[in-house]
Amino acid sequence: MATNRTGTAQRPNGATQGKICQFKLVLLGESAVGKSSLVLRFVKGQFHEYQESTIGAAFLTQTICLDDTTVKFEIWDTAGQERYHSLAPMYYRGAQAAIVVYDITNQDTFGRAKTWVKELQRQASPTIVIALAGNKQDLANKRMVEYEEAQTYADENGLLFMETSAKTAMNVNDIFLAIAKKLPKNEQTTGQGGSAQGRRLAEGDAGAKTAGNCCK
Amino acid sequence: MEDCVEDCEEIFSQDGVLLKQAPASHITFVNTIGTLYLSESLNSNKKRFIEWKPNDITVDSDIQDQEWAVVNTIQKRTRTLSGNYPADYQNRIKCIKFNFEEIKSFRVANKSRQISFYDGKADCLCIFGFQHGNSDTLLAILKRMLRISVSKRDKHLYIVYDANFPEFQQLDKSFAELNIQRDSRTLWSVFRNLKDHPYEATFEAFAKVTDYVYRSPEQRDIDDVDKENLNRSISEYENTTTHSQGDYEVVAKVPERKDFPRLRPLSVEQWKGHLNSEGKIEDVESVKTLIFRGGVTPCLRSEVWKFLLDYFPWSSTEADRQKLLATKSDEYYNMKLQWKRMTKVQEDNFSDYRERKSLIEKDVNRTDRTLDFYAGDNNANLQTLNDILMTYIMYNFDLGYVQGMSDLLSPILMLLESEVDSFWCFVGFMNKVIRNFDIDQAGMKDQLSNLHTLLAFVNPQLANYLDTHDSGNMFFCFRWLLVWFKRELSQEDVMRFWEVLWTGYPCENFHLLVCVAILETEKQNIIQNNFGFTEILKHINDLNGKLDMAVMLNKAEGIFYQIKESDHLSDNVRLILGMPLLQTQTSYGSHEQSPFEDSTELSNSTQPCCSVDNVRISPDEVAYERSINSSFL
């Protein structure tokens, strides 16, 4: 379905069809913070209240359009439990982007997210684009991690940051889009035009649960 | 004719080797993937050769034909493959071949993934690129067989000493092996060329043979005897397997696979017929065999599972079991009280415990919630699931709780419903798979490695494909192995599958053969689509809900007997399947050890530890460790 969308968006002005960028993105974070749910929302536009735990790893792809560039994300969704930590380097090795997820209702998961960020900064590709996602924003009434705290931390570490909700789709597409914009595209000319079209896509999505929509 | 053909013994073969550079006359083969062989003549001269031949004998593109038209000046040519040559020999229609003596130096590059052979003149004999693994093993053999030293200028360059024989003599000899007498003109022209351009001429001659063989039949001028021989050699090739895994391969045949249809599940009558007046099972083996062949009829499960999961000893009488139930119940509730009575302060001061408790809560909340038994909010069964897992923490605090365990418990609780019985049956299951949850994943790595060993034995082509596509670590089977296909099968199928596996029949690690069976089924999909690591993982993950459990078991059993009846069964395969070893090797440990313990020892061993047919075989676990290290880390 991703290709469809790219096709319709780009075929009319055939000349700009060309550029396709592919990026490996890995999701990391404590168990049950919503990594799989974020991916499922982004890729399939679905949400399962009782999303089962991830064993080993899952691999999904999603394509988004950014101006004249088609960005294809190869997404690695990982198991969160510390016991499976030793497998993590296999996933983030060679990744151009990472989303480190925590649960805003659980302070421990924020601490764990910081550890992941540190590990990525130390071990992953030096040019990796890292985004921090404070998930379960729909449960803001049970919030244990303040927005400002996370924002400050993200600023200090040069991370993209958004609070997201896989349940309501809030900021889900946006965080992927923000990453896509920040990623270096080969033979890139100007980034400005890109953000305009990107924003339009983001606005459309902000309306509701439409991650899947953009592909139909 | 036989005089002209040397019997060769293959010392080493490596699939997935790309011909990166060859003399100009053989440009057609450049960028073709093939197999690199290292072989030794069985004649008294014991000459050694390096050969390369293209892998794919079916694909013959038009382009190749056109290009060949330039090289192939002789269109009509017949060559017989008949004669009393070993089958092995017929399989090896050589394409590029040179004697060891021709090698004056070789250079390893690109992280050992490339090896270039030089003839000591300006030209490079050949450059080979290793699509899977690297040239380390080949290098090790070359180091052993040739007198070499590392160049002082270039540490990747190896200089070969001691080329005693004149090159022409060697070339003459290797050329004779081609057996092209029936076309003396070709022979003559090649010999003439040989004088001026020895290497090119040799390559060309071999390439022509290859061309001849790989052409589509209608383009070949070939008599019926030749055809028959050729077809036979190809079919023999397809029905072969490798003698050992890792990088040393000796091609040998595996027996044909038999069909083992599944039978009806163990019935109530059959079960009762096996109990004596005291309620003791008379013939345990026979019961287990019945269960292995067909599973257990659902209404019997809650009783039989207690035996299969070592809650009830197979030798117990009904009275023993009643007694056991009482003590086990007490024991359970004692352990449960230990965590139930923990105060808030204790918990606050016990982060390990707190972490585990929180993990269990998270996982219980998302285990099998789509099944009626666990559906809905405030479902009492969720609480039971939680309590059993919490009690297991107290039972085995070293292990605690690891993701995946709730998946193993869920079907047991669903079936037995009783908290105490479910706990003890869960303990029995955990005892069987405890190494799946090792903190360092060592148990999982061992299993994945063992799976690779078995696959390489049964289906070397697929194993090679995976190796050449960054998937030799078999990681895509992680979920299958961790929770024994719980995520892939329906609830009913999982129960049937598990009870069959719990019998421990027909061999140890039978579940790995199930994996081999499925991978074989998916082989065409994987290879034809040229899947890489990510695509394979996605493809395998997407098989959930699509696997036919009975077919899997049927095929796996067929594979087991195929392996068992192979006459070239190596010790590392025997070891995995718990079969008696051929030779006692201290590094293997004794037969009584669990395969997990054994394989740990193996994987820790860095010494080559067995030798078959004078070929030193490095345990493939070593090779596997290498791949783990490069892929996992």
Side-chain angles (χ1 to χ4, degrees):
Chain A
M1 31 193 221
T3 27
N4 260 354
R5 170 183 166 256
T6 336
T8 48
Q10 303 215 332
R11 225 151 257 160
N13 36 344
T16 57
Q17 177 118 21
K19 208 154 67 180
I20 299 172
C21 296
Q22 192 164 303
F23 296 109
K24 176 177 172 183
L25 181 147
V26 59
L27 277 107
L28 298 167
E30 177 61 84
S31 178
V33 293
K35 296 179 293 298
S36 302
S37 294
L38 282 173
V39 179
L40 202 65
R41 170 62 76 186
F42 176 58
V43 174
K44 295 184 179 166
Q46 298 172 350
F47 178 77
H48 300 305
E49 187 70 37
Y50 302 119
Q51 174 68 34
E52 58 187 4
S53 65
T54 304
I55 293 179
F59 174 75
L60 297 98
T61 58
Q62 176 63 299
T63 309
I64 58 172
C65 283
L66 205 62
D67 192 23
D68 63 334
T69 310
T70 305
V71 174
K72 185 182 177 193
F73 280 116
E74 295 194 317
I75 305 165
W76 284 88
D77 180 23
T78 65
Q81 196 185 344
E82 181 55 30
R83 184 67 59 116
Y84 297 112
H85 189 162
S86 67
L87 304 173
M90 183 167 62
Y91 308 122
Y92 63 65
R93 193 178 44 145
Q96 286 101 340
I99 302 182
V100 176
V101 188
Y102 69 93
D103 170 359
I104 65 161
T105 70
N106 184 331
Q107 184 71 39
D108 289 346
T109 66
F110 184 55
R112 184 82 191 96
K114 290 178 178 174
T115 320
W116 276 118
V117 169
K118 252 182 240 157
E119 177 165 341
L120 287 173
Q121 287 169 338
R122 210 175 47 240
Q123 312 265 25
S125 153
T127 56
I128 192 168
V129 173
I130 306 174
L132 182 69
N135 195 35
K136 307 198 186 178
Q137 200 280 338
D138 52 292
L139 301 176
N141 57 336
K142 294 182 189 167
R143 174 190 292 282
M144 298 298 286
V145 183
E146 291 309 319
Y147 183 92
E148 292 71 23
E149 184 189 357
Q151 182 69 65
T152 310
Y153 171 76
D155 290 345
E156 284 166 2
N157 287 275
L159 317 174
L160 288 166
F161 170 63
M162 284 185 199
E163 282 196 347
T164 57
S165 168
K167 191 170 185 172
T168 68
M170 187 191 109
N171 277 342
V172 176
N173 288 347
D174 307 66
I175 198 162
F176 282 93
L177 202 61
I179 292 168
K181 284 182 199 165
K182 205 174 167 185
L183 282 163
K185 264 74 74 182
N186 292 336
E187 354 149 1
Q188 189 163 22
T189 44
T190 51
Q192 280 74 15
S195 23
Q197 186 170 0
R199 212 179 327 275
R200 203 169 65 233
L201 177 71
E203 278 159 15
D205 293 335
K209 27 137 204 190
T210 53
N213 264 5
C214 68
C215 315
K216 280 167 191 161
Chain B
M1 211 150 47
E2 280 170 66
D3 295 342
C4 306
V5 179
E6 292 178 44
D7 273 359
C8 288
E9 184 188 33
E10 196 173 293
I11 298 171
F12 163 85
S13 82
Q14 171 86 55
D15 213 334
V17 175
L18 186 73
L19 182 65
K20 296 181 106 170
Q21 192 177 314
S25 54
H26 302 85
I27 200 80
T28 315
F29 281 119
V30 170
N31 288 330
T32 307
I33 293 181
T35 307
L36 190 69
Y37 295 96
L38 205 152
S39 48
E40 186 179 64
S41 156
L42 292 178
N43 291 354
S44 52
N45 63 19
K46 289 277 174 200
K47 241 177 275 168
R48 285 157 178 164
F49 311 97
I50 286 179
E51 305 168 53
W52 178 91
K53 71 172 180 95
N55 249 1
D56 194 342
I57 55 167
T58 54
V59 178
D60 193 1
S61 69
D62 293 335
I63 304 158
Q64 237 180 22
D65 278 341
Q66 282 160 17
E67 285 180 5
W68 265 110
V70 180
V71 179
N72 186 7
T73 52
I74 300 145
Q75 292 298 329
K76 291 195 175 177
R77 182 165 37 109
T78 52
R79 173 179 175 265
T80 178
L81 286 167
S82 60
N84 299 322
Y85 319 135
D88 216 8
Y89 180 79
Q90 294 193 356
N91 292 334
R92 280 187 267 134
I93 310 303
K94 289 146 195 99
C95 170
I96 286 184
K97 173 172 177 174
F98 46 90
N99 290 345
F100 264 31
E101 283 86 351
E102 293 176 64
I103 305 166
K104 295 292 181 281
S105 63
F106 55 91
R107 189 175 190 280
V108 175
N110 192 16
K111 292 179 182 165
S112 303
R113 291 194 169 183
Q114 182 176 306
I115 189 160
S116 320
F117 291 99
Y118 299 93
D119 60 6
K121 297 165 190 165
D123 284 330
C124 178
L125 282 168
C126 274
I127 299 181
F128 297 111
F130 287 68
Q131 302 272 299
H132 73 87
N134 52 39
S135 62
D136 286 355
T137 315
L138 177 64
L139 188 63
I141 302 173
L142 290 173
K143 280 178 178 170
R144 215 162 50 225
M145 295 184 166
L146 291 167
R147 282 183 52 200
I148 54 172
S149 72
V150 180
S151 160
K152 289 197 175 88
R153 287 175 291 121
D154 179 352
K155 64 174 178 173
H156 300 297
L157 183 69
Y158 298 84
I159 316 282
V160 182
Y161 294 125
D162 203 15
N164 292 323
F165 304 99
E167 282 156 20
F168 282 158
Q169 192 186 327
Q170 303 310 315
L171 276 171
D172 194 4
K173 195 77 183 169
S174 67
F175 189 70
E177 281 189 29
L178 266 177
N179 186 25
I180 318 187
Q181 289 89 338
R182 286 173 68 173
D183 190 340
S184 57
R185 269 192 313 150
T186 322
L187 197 63
W188 172 241
S189 71
V190 173
F191 266 118
R192 205 174 42 210
N193 285 338
L194 197 65
K195 203 174 162 190
D196 303 315
H197 311 285
Y199 303 110
E200 285 87 337
T202 314
F203 289 146
E204 190 176 345
F206 283 110
K208 278 174 185 166
V209 173
T210 312
D211 169 48
Y212 167 77
V213 170
Y214 291 121
R215 265 172 186 282
S216 56
E218 59 276 16
Q219 289 171 297
R220 275 199 302 254
D221 184 6
I222 188 167
D223 65 42
D224 287 338
V225 179
D226 288 346
K227 272 184 204 162
E228 200 188 314
N229 280 313
L230 190 59
N231 288 338
R232 197 173 60 217
S233 74
I234 289 168
S235 68
E236 276 168 359
Y237 183 77
E238 282 166 352
N239 205 18
T240 57
T241 183
T242 49
H243 191 257
S244 67
Q245 294 70 49
D247 299 319
Y248 299 68
E249 293 174 350
V250 179
V251 179
K253 274 179 98 167
V254 290
E256 272 185 33
R257 192 170 299 171
K258 293 173 197 151
D259 191 39
F260 293 89
R262 306 292 307 155
L263 302 182
R264 298 178 64 80
L266 176 76
S267 67
V268 178
E269 297 72 41
Q270 283 171 318
W271 175 249
K272 284 188 175 154
H274 277 85
L275 298 174
N276 68 13
S277 55
E278 288 182 304
K280 186 174 163 180
I281 298 160
E282 293 284 349
D283 184 353
V284 177
E285 300 307 299
S286 141
V287 172
K288 283 188 181 175
T289 307
L290 285 169
I291 298 171
F292 174 71
R293 300 234 63 92
V296 180
T297 204
C299 66
L300 258 185
R301 273 192 183 133
S302 56
E303 190 175 349
V304 177
W305 278 24
K306 291 173 186 139
F307 291 90
L308 287 169
L309 291 170
D310 306 318
Y311 179 25
F312 291 165
W314 287 95
S315 58
S316 61
T317 63
E318 180 60 34
D320 294 337
R321 296 195 284 270
Q322 288 309 321
K323 224 189 288 173
L324 188 80
L325 282 173
T327 50
K328 288 290 182 184
S329 180
D330 287 348
E331 202 180 327
Y332 174 78
Y333 285 111
N334 269 330
M335 288 187 286
K336 186 174 177 179
L337 274 182
Q338 289 170 352
W339 63 268
K340 277 273 184 192
R341 279 181 180 160
M342 208 169 286
T343 65
K344 175 86 173 54
V345 182
Q346 273 182 302
E347 228 180 286
D348 288 347
N349 294 332
F350 198 171
S351 60
D352 247 13
Y353 172 83
R354 229 172 34 240
E355 247 171 52
R356 288 159 190 216
K357 188 180 170 192
S358 135
L359 262 174
I360 290 174
E361 267 168 32
K362 286 173 182 172
D363 278 3
V364 162
N365 195 36
R366 50 187 178 154
T367 301
D368 286 335
R369 297 300 299 276
T370 52
L371 300 175
D372 286 348
F373 189 79
Y374 296 109
D377 299 329
N378 304 318
N379 184 323
N381 295 323
L382 292 177
Q383 189 59 49
T384 315
L385 196 67
N386 182 82
D387 289 0
I388 295 173
L389 292 169
M390 286 298 293
T391 307
Y392 189 80
I393 292 185
M394 307 315 287
Y395 175 78
N396 186 348
F397 205 90
D398 282 342
L399 181 62
Y401 175 77
V402 186
Q403 256 174 15
M405 283 164 58
S406 67
D407 281 278
L408 299 184
L409 172 59
S410 157
I412 296 175
L413 177 61
M414 240 178 96
L415 177 80
L416 300 176
E417 298 195 28
S418 144
E419 184 173 340
V420 176
D421 293 348
S422 299
F423 173 82
W424 289 111
C425 283
F426 173 65
V427 166
F429 195 2
M430 281 303 297
N431 287 342
K432 292 179 194 288
V433 295
I434 200 129
R435 291 220 42 220
N436 284 10
F437 302 100
D438 282 349
I439 195 143
D440 56 358
Q441 303 296 314
M444 286 303 291
K445 286 180 188 175
D446 283 351
Q447 283 194 73
L448 293 168
S449 159
N450 289 342
L451 173 57
H452 186 273
T453 303
L454 294 173
L455 184 69
F457 186 85
V458 177
N459 199 324
Q461 194 200 355
L462 180 57
N464 276 334
Y465 179 88
L466 296 175
D467 289 342
T468 53
H469 291 77
D470 293 330
S471 303
N473 60 26
M474 310 300 288
F475 185 76
F476 49 87
C477 296
F478 191 91
R479 191 170 76 191
W480 290 359
L481 296 176
L482 188 84
V483 292
W484 279 23
F485 290 88
K486 164 70 166 46
R487 294 283 178 94
E488 327 303 320
L489 300 171
S490 70
Q491 191 66 20
E492 169 58 29
D493 278 358
V494 154
M495 290 185 168
R496 173 60 41 85
F497 183 66
W498 285 359
E499 64 199 11
V500 168
L501 290 191
W502 288 334
T503 61
Y505 281 20
C507 59
E508 287 173 23
N509 287 312
F510 183 65
H511 64 297
L512 297 181
L513 295 181
V514 174
C515 298
V516 171
I518 302 168
L519 292 176
E520 260 201 6
T521 311
E522 298 306 317
K523 175 176 153 182
Q524 289 312 317
N525 254 330
I526 291 171
I527 294 179
Q528 276 168 12
N529 291 307
N530 197 30
F531 283 154
F533 180 57
T534 48
E535 291 92 352
I536 294 173
L537 183 116
K538 188 167 167 21
H539 182 75
I540 295 295
N541 276 355
D542 289 348
L543 289 178
N544 80 352
K546 296 176 196 159
L547 295 170
D548 186 324
M549 188 259 318
V551 171
M552 280 156 54
L553 288 171
N554 175 313
K555 209 172 166 190
E557 196 181 355
I559 291 172
F560 167 70
Y561 284 102
Q562 200 180 17
I563 294 177
K564 193 182 169 200
E565 287 155 20
S566 298
D567 48 13
H568 58 284
L569 194 50
S570 64
D571 270 357
N572 34 6
V573 171
R574 289 169 182 275
L575 192 71
I576 296 167
L577 301 180
M579 295 171 177
L581 301 183
L582 284 175
Q583 51 207 83
T584 334
Q585 294 283 341
T586 45
S587 58
Y588 280 153
S590 68
H591 299 186
E592 283 74 37
Q593 276 179 293
S594 87
F596 297 119
E597 286 160 355
D598 286 342
S599 46
T600 314
E601 277 187 42
L602 256 184
S603 59
N604 290 339
S605 144
T606 51
Q607 298 298 316
C609 58
C610 65
S611 116
V612 180
D613 301 333
N614 298 324
V615 178
R616 292 177 71 198
I617 295 169
S618 69
D620 44 325
E621 281 77 6
V622 175
Y624 180 78
E625 274 300 311
R626 266 207 312 274
S627 86
I628 284 279
N629 289 338
S630 61
S631 316
F632 275 46
L633 304 172

